[in-house]
Amino acid sequence: MRILILSIAFICLISSAAADGWENFKAQTTATVEVRGAPGPYDPIARIPARTNVTVGACFKEGTWCEITSGDINGYADATLLKSGNQTVKEKYEAYWQGLLAASVYTSPFIWTEGDSYMRGAYGINLYEMIASSTGRVLESTAQGGSDMDGISQRMLSPSTAKFRSRITVVWDGASNGLITVKDYVDLLEEGIDQLGHDHFVVIPAMAGDDLKAIAKEFKSRWPDNTLDWRDVFGDHPGTQPPDDLLAKPQEDKTHLGKPALQQMAIAIGAYIRSKGW
C-alpha cells in the first residue's frame, strides 16, 4: 500500500510540475489543421490553414494532441502539425518531459537496451530478456543484429526512440563491425549518449573485432563511471574473438556468446545498475 501511495504522489508531483512548466507558447501550423473538441481523432469543429500562428496550451496522450487557440477558435490539434522553432510541438513536449525526468530524483523501473546481436537475436538467445529477468525491471530493446556503431547511434538519435531516453540505458556493440578508427567509433556512441540527457547509462566495450583494448581504454576515459568492462566478468583474452568456452557454437561461429556467458553478463549488468542506486 505504501508503494502505491508513493507512486501516486510521484505521478501527482510530476503532473503538477508539467502543468506549471509547460507554459503557453507560440507555434505555427505546418499544414491545414483540423481542430477537435477533445484530444483525439474526433470530428473537426474548425480548420486552420497552414502558416497560421497559434498559442499552445496543455498536451495530452503523450504529447500527441495539444490544446490550441487561434482567434476565436479553441480546441485540440495534432501536435506533429504544429512547429515551434526547429521542433514540432510533439518533439518539444518529449524533450520537456525528458528534461523533467532527468532532473528528478526518480529511479526508473525501466531499462532500454541498444546494440547488435550480442544484445539481441543470435540463435534466439537474447541478452535483453535475461537483463529483464535478472533485474525485475521493465525492459525495451531496439538493438538489431548486424548493427555497427553508426546504426546504433542513429537509432539512439531517432525521434522514434525519444520515449525511451529517460530510461536506464545499456549499450553493447559486442563486435566492432565497421570500425575505421577508435575515435570515430566512440564519437558515434557519444552522440547517442549525449542525447539521453542523464547519466543513468551503462556502456560495454566490444568483445570481438579489432582494437578491443583501445576501445575499452577510450570508453573508460570518456565514461569512467559508466563503463562495465566484460573483462571484469570473463577475464581478458589476447585474440580478436572470444574464447571457445564462451561461444554458442564454437565450431562454426567464433563471435557469438552462448547462453551461460550471456547469463553471466546479465547478472553483472544488473549488479552494476544496483551498485549505482538506479
Coordinates of all heavy atoms in Angstrom, one line a residue, residues 218-275:
E218 N 39.3 3.9 -24.4 CA 38.6 5.1 -24.7 C 37.3 5.2 -24.0 O 36.9 6.3 -23.6 CB 38.4 5.2 -26.2 CG 37.9 6.5 -26.7 CD 38.8 7.7 -26.5 OE1 40.0 7.4 -26.3 OE2 38.3 8.8 -26.5
F219 N 36.6 4.1 -23.9 CA 35.3 4.1 -23.1 C 35.6 4.6 -21.7 O 34.9 5.4 -21.1 CB 34.7 2.7 -23.1 CG 33.8 2.3 -24.2 CD1 34.1 2.8 -25.5 CD2 32.8 1.5 -24.0 CE1 33.2 2.5 -26.5 CE2 31.9 1.1 -25.1 CZ 32.2 1.6 -26.3
K220 N 36.6 4.0 -21.0 CA 36.9 4.3 -19.6 C 37.4 5.8 -19.5 O 37.2 6.4 -18.4 CB 37.9 3.3 -19.1 CG 37.3 1.9 -18.9 CD 38.4 0.9 -18.5 CE 37.8 -0.5 -18.5 NZ 38.9 -1.5 -18.1
S221 N 38.0 6.3 -20.5 CA 38.5 7.7 -20.5 C 37.3 8.6 -20.6 O 37.2 9.6 -19.8 CB 39.4 7.9 -21.7 OG 39.8 9.3 -21.7
R222 N 36.3 8.3 -21.4 CA 35.2 9.2 -21.6 C 34.1 9.0 -20.5 O 33.4 10.0 -20.1 CB 34.6 9.0 -23.0 CG 35.5 9.4 -24.1 CD 34.8 9.6 -25.4 NE 35.7 9.6 -26.5 CZ 35.4 10.0 -27.8 NH1 34.1 10.4 -28.0 NH2 36.3 9.9 -28.8
W223 N 33.9 7.8 -20.2 CA 32.8 7.5 -19.2 C 33.3 6.6 -18.1 O 32.9 5.4 -17.9 CB 31.6 6.7 -19.9 CG 31.1 7.5 -21.1 CD1 30.4 8.7 -21.1 CD2 31.3 7.1 -22.5 NE1 30.1 9.1 -22.4 CE2 30.6 8.1 -23.3 CE3 31.9 6.0 -23.2 CZ2 30.6 8.1 -24.7 CZ3 31.8 6.0 -24.6 CH2 31.2 7.0 -25.3
P224 N 34.2 7.1 -17.3 CA 34.8 6.3 -16.2 C 33.8 5.7 -15.2 O 34.1 4.7 -14.6 CB 35.8 7.2 -15.5 CG 35.3 8.6 -15.9 CD 34.7 8.5 -17.2
D225 N 32.7 6.4 -15.0 CA 31.7 5.9 -14.0 C 30.6 5.2 -14.7 O 29.6 4.8 -14.0 CB 31.1 7.2 -13.3 CG 32.2 7.9 -12.5 OD1 33.1 7.2 -11.9 OD2 32.2 9.1 -12.5
N226 N 30.7 4.9 -15.9 CA 29.5 4.3 -16.6 C 30.0 3.1 -17.5 O 29.1 2.6 -18.3 CB 28.8 5.3 -17.5 CG 28.2 6.4 -16.7 OD1 28.9 7.4 -16.4 ND2 26.9 6.3 -16.3
T227 N 31.2 2.7 -17.5 CA 31.7 1.6 -18.3 C 31.9 0.3 -17.5 O 32.5 0.3 -16.5 CB 33.1 2.0 -18.9 OG1 33.0 3.1 -19.7 CG2 33.7 0.8 -19.7
L228 N 31.2 -0.7 -18.0 CA 31.3 -2.0 -17.4 C 32.1 -2.9 -18.4 O 31.7 -3.2 -19.5 CB 29.9 -2.7 -17.2 CG 29.9 -4.2 -16.9 CD1 30.6 -4.4 -15.5 CD2 28.5 -4.7 -16.8
D229 N 33.3 -3.2 -18.0 CA 34.2 -4.0 -18.9 C 33.9 -5.5 -18.8 O 33.9 -6.0 -17.7 CB 35.7 -3.7 -18.6 CG 36.6 -4.1 -19.7 OD1 36.3 -5.0 -20.4 OD2 37.7 -3.5 -19.7
W230 N 33.7 -6.1 -19.9 CA 33.4 -7.5 -19.9 C 34.6 -8.3 -19.3 O 34.4 -9.5 -18.8 CB 33.0 -8.0 -21.3 CG 34.1 -7.7 -22.4 CD1 34.0 -6.6 -23.2 CD2 35.3 -8.4 -22.7 NE1 35.1 -6.6 -24.0 CE2 35.9 -7.7 -23.7 CE3 35.9 -9.5 -22.1 CZ2 37.1 -8.1 -24.3 CZ3 37.1 -9.9 -22.7 CH2 37.7 -9.2 -23.7
R231 N 35.8 -7.8 -19.3 CA 36.9 -8.4 -18.8 C 36.8 -8.7 -17.3 O 37.3 -9.6 -16.7 CB 38.2 -7.6 -19.0 CG 38.6 -7.5 -20.5 CD 39.6 -6.4 -20.7 NE 39.9 -6.3 -22.2 CZ 39.2 -5.6 -23.0 NH1 38.1 -5.0 -22.7 NH2 39.5 -5.6 -24.3
D232 N 36.0 -7.8 -16.6 CA 35.7 -8.0 -15.2 C 34.7 -9.1 -14.9 O 34.6 -9.6 -13.8 CB 35.1 -6.7 -14.6 CG 36.1 -5.6 -14.7 OD1 37.3 -5.8 -14.6 OD2 35.7 -4.4 -14.8
V233 N 34.1 -9.6 -16.0 CA 33.2 -10.8 -15.9 C 33.8 -12.1 -16.3 O 33.8 -13.1 -15.7 CB 31.9 -10.5 -16.7 CG1 30.9 -11.6 -16.6 CG2 31.2 -9.2 -16.3
F234 N 34.5 -12.0 -17.5 CA 35.0 -13.2 -18.1 C 36.6 -13.3 -18.0 O 37.1 -14.4 -18.3 CB 34.7 -13.3 -19.6 CG 33.2 -13.2 -19.9 CD1 32.7 -12.2 -20.7 CD2 32.3 -14.1 -19.3 CE1 31.3 -12.2 -21.0 CE2 31.0 -14.0 -19.6 CZ 30.5 -13.1 -20.4
G235 N 37.3 -12.3 -17.7 CA 38.7 -12.2 -17.8 C 39.1 -11.8 -19.2 O 38.4 -11.8 -20.1
D236 N 40.4 -11.4 -19.3 CA 40.9 -10.9 -20.6 C 41.2 -12.0 -21.5 O 41.3 -13.2 -21.1 CB 42.2 -10.1 -20.3 CG 42.5 -9.1 -21.4 OD1 41.7 -9.1 -22.4 OD2 43.4 -8.3 -21.3
H237 N 41.3 -11.7 -22.8 CA 41.8 -12.7 -23.8 C 42.6 -11.9 -24.8 O 42.3 -10.8 -25.1 CB 40.6 -13.5 -24.4 CG 39.7 -12.7 -25.2 ND1 40.0 -12.2 -26.5 CD2 38.4 -12.2 -25.0 CE1 39.0 -11.5 -27.0 NE2 38.0 -11.5 -26.1
P238 N 43.6 -12.6 -25.4 CA 44.6 -11.9 -26.2 C 44.1 -11.7 -27.7 O 44.6 -10.9 -28.4 CB 45.8 -12.7 -26.2 CG 45.3 -14.1 -25.9 CD 44.1 -13.9 -25.1
G239 N 43.1 -12.5 -28.1 CA 42.8 -12.5 -29.5 C 41.7 -11.5 -29.9 O 41.4 -10.6 -29.1
T240 N 41.2 -11.6 -31.1 CA 40.2 -10.7 -31.6 C 38.8 -11.3 -31.6 O 37.8 -10.8 -32.1 CB 40.5 -10.3 -33.1 OG1 40.5 -11.5 -33.9 CG2 41.8 -9.6 -33.2
Q241 N 38.7 -12.5 -30.9 CA 37.4 -13.1 -30.7 C 37.3 -13.8 -29.4 O 38.4 -14.1 -28.8 CB 37.2 -14.2 -31.8 CG 38.3 -15.3 -31.8 CD 38.4 -16.0 -33.1 OE1 38.2 -15.5 -34.2 NE2 38.7 -17.3 -33.0
P242 N 36.1 -14.0 -28.8 CA 36.0 -14.6 -27.5 C 36.5 -16.1 -27.5 O 36.5 -16.7 -28.5 CB 34.5 -14.6 -27.3 CG 34.0 -13.6 -28.2 CD 34.8 -13.7 -29.4
P243 N 37.0 -16.5 -26.4 CA 37.4 -17.9 -26.3 C 36.3 -18.9 -26.5 O 35.1 -18.6 -26.2 CB 38.0 -18.0 -24.8 CG 37.4 -16.9 -24.1 CD 37.1 -15.8 -25.1
D244 N 36.6 -20.1 -27.0 CA 35.6 -21.1 -27.4 C 34.6 -21.4 -26.3 O 33.4 -21.7 -26.5 CB 36.3 -22.4 -27.9 CG 36.8 -22.2 -29.3 OD1 36.7 -21.1 -29.9 OD2 37.4 -23.1 -29.8
D245 N 35.1 -21.5 -25.0 CA 34.2 -21.9 -23.9 C 33.1 -20.9 -23.6 O 32.2 -21.3 -22.9 CB 35.0 -22.2 -22.7 CG 35.8 -21.0 -22.1 OD1 36.0 -20.0 -22.9 OD2 36.1 -21.0 -21.0
L246 N 33.2 -19.7 -24.2 CA 32.1 -18.8 -24.0 C 31.1 -18.7 -25.2 O 30.1 -18.1 -25.1 CB 32.7 -17.4 -23.8 CG 33.6 -17.1 -22.6 CD1 34.1 -15.7 -22.6 CD2 32.8 -17.4 -21.3
L247 N 31.5 -19.4 -26.3 CA 30.7 -19.3 -27.5 C 29.5 -20.2 -27.6 O 29.5 -21.3 -27.0 CB 31.6 -19.5 -28.7 CG 32.8 -18.6 -28.9 CD1 33.7 -19.0 -30.0 CD2 32.3 -17.1 -29.2
A248 N 28.5 -19.8 -28.4 CA 27.3 -20.6 -28.5 C 27.6 -21.8 -29.4 O 27.2 -22.9 -29.2 CB 26.2 -19.8 -29.2
K249 N 28.3 -21.6 -30.5 CA 28.6 -22.6 -31.5 C 30.1 -22.5 -31.9 O 30.4 -22.0 -33.0 CB 27.7 -22.6 -32.7 CG 26.2 -22.8 -32.3 CD 25.3 -22.9 -33.6 CE 23.9 -23.2 -33.2 NZ 23.0 -23.3 -34.4
P250 N 31.0 -22.9 -31.1 CA 32.4 -22.6 -31.3 C 33.0 -23.2 -32.6 O 34.0 -22.7 -33.1 CB 33.1 -23.2 -30.1 CG 32.2 -24.1 -29.5 CD 30.8 -23.6 -29.8
Q251 N 32.4 -24.3 -33.1 CA 32.9 -24.9 -34.3 C 32.6 -24.1 -35.6 O 33.3 -24.3 -36.6 CB 32.4 -26.4 -34.4 CG 32.8 -27.3 -33.3 CD 34.3 -27.3 -33.0 OE1 35.1 -27.4 -33.9 NE2 34.6 -27.1 -31.7
E252 N 31.5 -23.4 -35.5 CA 31.1 -22.7 -36.8 C 31.0 -21.2 -36.6 O 30.8 -20.5 -37.6 CB 29.7 -23.2 -37.2 CG 28.7 -23.2 -36.1 CD 27.4 -24.0 -36.5 OE1 27.4 -25.2 -36.2 OE2 26.5 -23.4 -37.0
D253 N 31.0 -20.7 -35.4 CA 30.8 -19.2 -35.2 C 31.7 -18.8 -34.1 O 31.6 -19.2 -32.9 CB 29.3 -18.9 -34.8 CG 29.0 -17.5 -34.6 OD1 30.0 -16.7 -34.4 OD2 27.8 -17.1 -34.5
K254 N 32.7 -17.9 -34.4 CA 33.7 -17.5 -33.5 C 33.4 -16.1 -32.8 O 34.3 -15.5 -32.3 CB 35.1 -17.4 -34.1 CG 35.6 -18.8 -34.6 CD 35.8 -19.8 -33.5 CE 36.5 -21.0 -34.0 NZ 36.7 -22.0 -32.8
T255 N 32.1 -15.7 -32.9 CA 31.8 -14.4 -32.4 C 30.7 -14.4 -31.3 O 30.9 -13.8 -30.3 CB 31.2 -13.5 -33.6 OG1 32.2 -13.4 -34.6 CG2 30.8 -12.2 -33.1
H256 N 29.7 -15.2 -31.5 CA 28.5 -15.0 -30.6 C 28.6 -15.9 -29.4 O 28.9 -17.1 -29.4 CB 27.2 -15.3 -31.4 CG 26.9 -14.3 -32.4 ND1 27.1 -14.5 -33.8 CD2 26.5 -13.0 -32.3 CE1 26.8 -13.5 -34.5 NE2 26.4 -12.5 -33.6
L257 N 28.3 -15.2 -28.3 CA 28.3 -15.9 -27.0 C 27.1 -16.8 -26.8 O 26.0 -16.6 -27.3 CB 28.3 -14.9 -25.8 CG 29.4 -13.8 -25.8 CD1 29.2 -12.9 -24.6 CD2 30.8 -14.5 -25.8
G258 N 27.4 -17.9 -26.0 CA 26.3 -18.8 -25.6 C 25.5 -18.3 -24.5 O 25.8 -17.3 -23.8
K259 N 24.5 -19.1 -24.1 CA 23.5 -18.7 -23.1 C 24.2 -18.6 -21.7 O 23.9 -17.6 -21.0 CB 22.4 -19.7 -23.0 CG 21.2 -19.3 -22.1 CD 20.0 -20.2 -22.3 CE 18.9 -19.7 -21.4 NZ 17.7 -20.6 -21.5
P260 N 25.0 -19.5 -21.3 CA 25.7 -19.3 -20.0 C 26.5 -18.0 -19.8 O 26.4 -17.4 -18.8 CB 26.6 -20.6 -19.8 CG 25.9 -21.6 -20.7 CD 25.4 -20.8 -21.9
A261 N 27.2 -17.7 -20.9 CA 28.0 -16.5 -20.9 C 27.2 -15.2 -20.8 O 27.4 -14.3 -20.1 CB 29.0 -16.4 -22.1
L262 N 26.1 -15.2 -21.6 CA 25.2 -14.1 -21.6 C 24.5 -14.0 -20.3 O 24.2 -12.9 -19.8 CB 24.2 -14.2 -22.8 CG 24.8 -13.9 -24.2 CD1 23.8 -14.2 -25.3 CD2 25.4 -12.5 -24.3
Q263 N 24.2 -15.1 -19.7 CA 23.5 -15.0 -18.4 C 24.5 -14.4 -17.3 O 24.0 -13.6 -16.5 CB 23.1 -16.4 -17.9 CG 22.3 -16.5 -16.6 CD 21.0 -15.8 -16.8 OE1 20.2 -16.2 -17.7 NE2 20.7 -14.8 -16.0
Q264 N 25.8 -14.7 -17.4 CA 26.7 -14.1 -16.6 C 26.8 -12.6 -16.8 O 26.8 -11.8 -15.8 CB 28.1 -14.6 -16.8 CG 28.5 -16.0 -16.2 CD 29.9 -16.4 -16.5 OE1 30.2 -17.1 -17.5 NE2 30.8 -15.9 -15.7
M265 N 26.7 -12.2 -18.0 CA 26.7 -10.7 -18.3 C 25.4 -10.1 -17.8 O 25.5 -8.9 -17.3 CB 26.8 -10.5 -19.8 CG 28.2 -10.5 -20.4 SD 29.4 -9.3 -19.6 CE 28.6 -7.8 -20.0
A266 N 24.3 -10.7 -18.0 CA 23.0 -10.1 -17.5 C 23.1 -9.9 -16.0 O 22.7 -8.9 -15.5 CB 21.9 -11.1 -17.8
I267 N 23.6 -10.9 -15.3 CA 23.7 -10.7 -13.8 C 24.7 -9.6 -13.5 O 24.4 -8.8 -12.5 CB 24.2 -12.1 -13.2 CG1 23.1 -13.1 -13.3 CG2 24.6 -11.9 -11.7 CD1 23.5 -14.5 -13.0
A268 N 25.8 -9.5 -14.2 CA 26.8 -8.4 -14.0 C 26.2 -7.1 -14.2 O 26.4 -6.1 -13.5 CB 28.0 -8.7 -14.8
I269 N 25.4 -7.0 -15.3 CA 24.8 -5.7 -15.7 C 23.8 -5.3 -14.6 O 23.7 -4.1 -14.1 CB 24.1 -5.8 -17.0 CG1 25.1 -5.9 -18.1 CG2 23.2 -4.6 -17.3 CD1 24.6 -6.3 -19.5
G270 N 23.0 -6.3 -14.1 CA 22.0 -6.0 -13.0 C 22.7 -5.5 -11.8 O 22.3 -4.6 -11.1
A271 N 23.8 -6.2 -11.4 CA 24.6 -5.8 -10.2 C 25.2 -4.4 -10.4 O 25.2 -3.6 -9.4 CB 25.7 -6.9 -10.0
Y272 N 25.7 -4.1 -11.6 CA 26.2 -2.8 -11.8 C 25.2 -1.7 -11.7 O 25.4 -0.7 -11.0 CB 26.8 -2.8 -13.3 CG 27.7 -1.6 -13.6 CD1 29.0 -1.6 -13.3 CD2 27.1 -0.4 -14.2 CE1 29.8 -0.5 -13.6 CE2 27.9 0.7 -14.5 CZ 29.2 0.6 -14.2 OH 30.0 1.7 -14.5
I273 N 24.0 -1.9 -12.2 CA 22.9 -1.0 -12.1 C 22.5 -0.8 -10.6 O 22.4 0.4 -10.1 CB 21.7 -1.4 -12.9 CG1 22.0 -1.3 -14.4 CG2 20.4 -0.6 -12.5 CD1 21.0 -1.9 -15.3
R274 N 22.4 -1.9 -9.9 CA 22.1 -1.8 -8.4 C 23.2 -1.0 -7.6 O 22.9 -0.3 -6.7 CB 21.8 -3.1 -7.9 CG 20.5 -3.8 -8.3 CD 20.2 -5.0 -7.5 NE 21.2 -6.1 -7.7 CZ 21.1 -6.9 -8.7 NH1 20.2 -6.9 -9.6 NH2 22.1 -7.9 -8.8
S275 N 24.4 -1.3 -8.0 CA 25.5 -0.6 -7.3 C 25.5 0.9 -7.4 O 26.0 1.6 -6.6 CB 26.9 -1.2 -7.8 OG 27.2 -0.6 -9.1

